[in-house]
Each structure stands twice: as structure tokens, then as C-alpha cells.
Amino acid sequence: SQKIEQNSEALNIQEGKTATLTCNYTNYSPAYLQWYRQDPGRGPVFLLLIRENEKEKRKERLKVTFDTTLKQSLFHITASQPADSATYLCALPFVFGPGTRLSVLP
Amino acid sequence: DAGVIQSPRHEVTEMGQEVTLRCKPISGHDYLFWYRQTMMRGLELLIYFNNNVPIDDSGMPEDRFSAKMPNASFSTLKIQPSEPRDSAVYFCASSLDSGGRGNQPQHFGDGTRLSIL
């Protein structure tokens, strides 16, 4: 069955540094991969979608890469801020990963 | 524009009672999804609809769960009878037509936190 793993349950980084979150998947060949942000007590919020023929996509301080050979996506937040603290979920079509809880320390 | 609206936000009830969760999707969205989120299992897809028709209900845990979408602006998820292991946060989401390919962003409501005592 399809499986998504995200590199760690929690990640702590210092403000201003770049946060890198990893998403690995198996038993799937997705044409698209999405990243969402979830704050406590709220539903996930869509951030970025990347297609299989796109190696990289950027939106402001966010960057996503998609390597279909490695079956991996990397999600980067540059110049991180405490306001970036949240859980980040990667998603294949209709399947979500477990999420990584990011804490940006001032 | 209003986002996805779910009600109630919180529900506490006793085991064996019927529970009905409600969802109003974003107007114009063709797809509606019901998810369940727990610490142990994460965010799981229960069922999704396209143009009010159930497409895939393979995630519905058992016959105690049922979902309906009588029109484009309303859906319900019902649990009868409820059990303590059904305690979770239930999310509804909607999206534009993706042709079933999942390539459209999903817009989530803020969920219903369900506690079965």
C-alpha cells in the first residue's frame, strides 16, 4: 500500500536559519505532490503543489523540490521566523503524511 | 469568500449515541472530502464525493459510519452507534475538479473535535 514518511516528528531550529523537511513515499508514482501547514486546533492550509515534471518550485521564502527517482520531496523555509512554527504535512493525491512539527526558536 | 464550514466545533457524547457532523463546502467546489485525524494514525481519508456522488468510501472504518451529500452545499458524516475509539478530530475539505487526479489544493474546515465517553 502507499506509504508516506516524513523525516522526523519534530524539528527545532534557530530563527533566521533554513528549515529543511523531508518527505519520502513508497508504492506510488504520483503526478503531483502537495505541502500543507497545520496550526493547533485548525485544519491544514495548502502551501504549494509541485508536478512530477517540475524539479523545484518557490513561493516567497518557501521552496519545494520533487525527485521522482528518489521518491522524495524536500521542503525548505529560508530565513525562518517564530511565526513559521507549525506542523507541515506532505500529501500525495488523497494521502497525507504524518507531518513534521517545526519549532523556530527566537 | 467563506471557507469550508463545519459544525459543531466540539461534540462530547456518550458511547452508543448517534453523532452527526456537518459540512458546508466552498461554493463551486466539485469535490468534498471527509478525513479523521488522530495522534496515532494521522490524517486519514474516510470518503470523498464528486458532484455529490460518493466516489471512494474505502476509508470508512466500518458500517457504523455513513456519509451523505444531498446537495452541492451540504454533507453529513454520521456515526451510529458511537464508540470511544471514534474519538478524533474530523475534517471536511473541498476542492475544485481535479478529474480524480488530486492535483487541486484542498481547502479544509477547522474540524469537529469528537469525544465519545
Side-chain angles (χ1 to χ4, degrees), chain B residues 46-65:
Chain B
L46 300 177
I47 185 172
Y48 74 92
F49 296 81
N50 177 217
N51 291 323
N52 314 336
V53 176
I55 302 300
D56 184 353
D57 66 355
S58 59
M60 296 285 262
E62 23 187 302
D63 292 346
R64 298 184 297 107
F65 285 68

Side-chain angles (χ1 to χ4, degrees), chain A residues 27-39:
Chain A
N27 298 326
Y28 204 83
S29 296
Y32 311 89
L33 186 145
Q34 301 182 25
W35 283 89
Y36 288 76
R37 168 183 172 141
Q38 186 174 23
D39 291 288

Side-chain angles (χ1 to χ4, degrees), chain A residues 6-11 86-88 98-102, chain B residues 39:
Chain A
Q6 295 191 238
N7 58 323
S8 58
E9 197 173 308
L11 180 65
T87 296
Y88 292 87
T100 296
R101 188 172 66 253
L102 174 68
Chain B
M39 289 293 293

Side-chain angles (χ1 to χ4, degrees), chain A residues 35-39 42-48 89, chain B residues 106 108:
Chain A
W35 283 89
Y36 288 76
R37 168 183 172 141
Q38 186 174 23
D39 291 288
R42 306 299 299 274
V45 174
F46 170 77
L47 296 175
L48 281 166
L89 305 162
Chain B
Q106 294 186 30
F108 284 77

Side-chain angles (χ1 to χ4, degrees), chain B:
Chain B
D1 286 339
V4 174
I5 299 172
Q6 292 187 246
S7 65
R9 285 300 311 277
H10 300 91
E11 175 88 15
V12 181
T13 192
E14 291 189 345
M15 179 174 129
Q17 297 297 307
E18 179 179 290
V19 173
T20 299
L21 310 182
R22 297 173 176 79
C23 175
K24 177 178 168 57
I26 292 173
S27 177
H29 281 190
D30 300 290
Y31 280 76
L32 183 138
F33 307 83
W34 281 101
Y35 290 88
R36 178 172 67 177
Q37 188 173 42
T38 61
M39 289 293 293
M40 289 296 295
R41 301 176 66 90
L43 194 62
E44 301 175 281
L45 178 65
L46 300 177
I47 185 172
Y48 74 92
F49 296 81
N50 177 217
N51 291 323
N52 314 336
V53 176
I55 302 300
D56 184 353
D57 66 355
S58 59
M60 296 285 262
E62 23 187 302
D63 292 346
R64 298 184 297 107
F65 285 68
S66 62
K68 293 182 179 180
M69 191 164 185
N71 57 63
S73 59
F74 183 65
S75 178
T76 59
L77 178 68
K78 189 171 293 188
I79 309 173
Q80 167 64 20
S82 57
E83 297 183 4
R85 60 192 167 119
D86 302 331
S87 298
V89 181
Y90 290 81
F91 288 103
C92 175
S94 68
S95 76
L96 292 169
D97 188 357
S98 66
R101 296 187 297 273
N103 63 341
Q104 293 291 335
Q106 294 186 30
H107 299 259
F108 284 77
D110 281 335
T112 294
R113 183 173 295 276
L114 178 64
S115 296
I116 308 296
L117 307 177

Side-chain angles (χ1 to χ4, degrees), chain A residues 39-99:
Chain A
D39 291 288
R42 306 299 299 274
V45 174
F46 170 77
L47 296 175
L48 281 166
L49 179 149
I50 186 165
R51 294 176 172 77
E52 61 179 340
N53 61 351
E54 297 175 316
K55 296 300 181 188
E56 180 180 298
K57 198 153 191 181
R58 293 175 184 261
K59 178 183 176 183
E60 298 173 352
R61 294 183 296 111
L62 308 180
K63 185 178 86 171
V64 172
T65 63
F66 191 15
D67 188 323
T68 55
T69 301
L70 291 179
K71 295 186 180 295
Q72 181 180 81
S73 175
L74 299 180
F75 177 82
H76 306 272
I77 306 176
T78 59
S80 61
Q81 304 166 2
D84 296 324
S85 298
T87 296
Y88 292 87
L89 305 162
C90 83
L92 301 178
F94 312 123
V95 180
F96 280 77

Side-chain angles (χ1 to χ4, degrees), chain A residues 2-40:
Chain A
Q2 301 158 9
K3 188 175 180 181
I4 304 177
E5 295 179 338
Q6 295 191 238
N7 58 323
S8 58
E9 197 173 308
L11 180 65
N12 296 329
I13 63 166
Q14 212 61 39
E15 183 177 3
K17 301 293 187 185
T18 296
T20 298
L21 283 62
T22 305
C23 174
N24 295 290
Y25 57 91
T26 56
N27 298 326
Y28 204 83
S29 296
Y32 311 89
L33 186 145
Q34 301 182 25
W35 283 89
Y36 288 76
R37 168 183 172 141
Q38 186 174 23
D39 291 288

